Amino acid sequence: MSRIGRKGISIPKGVQVTISGSQVKIKGPLGEIERAFHPDMEISSESQSLSVRRKSDTKAQKALHGLTRALLQNMITGVVQGYSKELEIVGVGYRAEPRKRGILLSVGFSHGVFFTTPAGVKIEVPKPTSIIISGIDREQVGEIAAQIRRIRKPEPYKGKGICYAGERIHRKAGKTAK
């Protein structure tokens, strides 16, 4: 069996899990999340835990087994604690400003770039050079952080751009005069 897939998932107090076929709905203190899983995975709930079983031992089934369990665990953690990613803006004059439906990024272009906040995700700007993305869906939080970072990736010569908090940029040496 998959080492990850065979582990049980404990359901904390205050979390409700509804399973209907391959559709799983999890409701917790921070919100509600719903996802459809592969029909070959059998998800069952016993008292205060969830378990995932597979129908066969093919390579694809083994991979799906661990994936399904990990996704369920991420859903439960999301509705209980939530997820967040922090981005840093590096560069002279580079900044972010909160707006009604998103953020306005000034990152070296001739115009500001407006990024619209999607539903289910909260974007905060505690400092002009810091952005915090938070939500209950781990995939969505990571995808939004990647989309914002993609607006101005950190460049390798001066390190200017939008990067993840704590990300180390591999710096290159510039041209040298003879």
Side-chain angles (χ1 to χ4, degrees):
M1 286 184 84
S2 167
R3 281 184 241 159
I4 293 172
R6 70 175 161 217
K7 290 182 183 176
I9 304 167
S10 63
I11 302 171
K13 291 189 179 190
V15 176
Q16 295 175 331
V17 178
T18 308
I19 302 168
S20 56
S22 61
Q23 193 81 8
V24 178
K25 188 182 211 177
I26 299 177
K27 193 175 190 177
L30 295 181
E32 185 177 311
I33 213 170
E34 189 173 352
R35 184 182 195 110
F37 290 96
H38 198 279
D40 289 346
M41 294 295 116
E42 296 172 5
I43 302 166
S44 59
S45 176
E46 303 104 23
S47 65
Q48 286 299 97
S49 68
L50 283 173
S51 63
V52 181
R53 287 184 205 87
R54 61 177 184 250
K55 293 181 180 175
S56 68
D57 280 341
T58 63
K59 192 173 185 179
Q61 292 281 314
K62 288 179 181 179
L64 276 174
H65 190 203
L67 173 70
T68 303
R69 192 252 178 225
L71 291 173
L72 282 168
Q73 179 66 54
N74 288 344
M75 289 169 68
I76 289 176
T77 304
V79 296
V80 174
Q81 299 171 357
Y83 290 101
S84 68
K85 286 258 186 192
E86 188 172 345
L87 298 172
E88 294 173 346
I89 302 173
V90 180
V92 177
Y94 286 19
R95 65 185 181 278
E97 298 173 31
R99 298 292 168 140
K100 268 189 177 177
R101 286 182 231 101
I103 56 172
L104 182 67
L105 299 165
S106 300
V107 286
F109 299 117
S110 61
H111 58 283
V113 179
F114 186 76
F115 186 84
T116 308
T117 306
V121 175
K122 184 179 169 189
I123 298 179
E124 300 172 36
V125 183
K127 298 186 295 188
T129 58
S130 174
I131 303 170
I132 298 174
I133 301 123
S134 57
I136 61 171
D137 188 357
R138 184 176 186 177
E139 288 179 57
Q140 191 178 23
V141 168
E143 181 61 33
I144 298 304
Q147 287 175 3
I148 292 173
R149 182 181 184 271
R150 213 174 291 135
I151 291 170
R152 177 67 100 178
K153 286 185 183 175
E155 53 96 13
Y157 296 101
K158 293 184 180 177
K160 298 187 331 182
I162 302 172
C163 57
Y164 296 112
E167 180 182 9
R168 187 176 163 273
I169 307 300
H170 181 73
R171 303 289 292 270
K172 292 182 180 179
K175 280 186 171 181
T176 56
K178 284 191 174 185

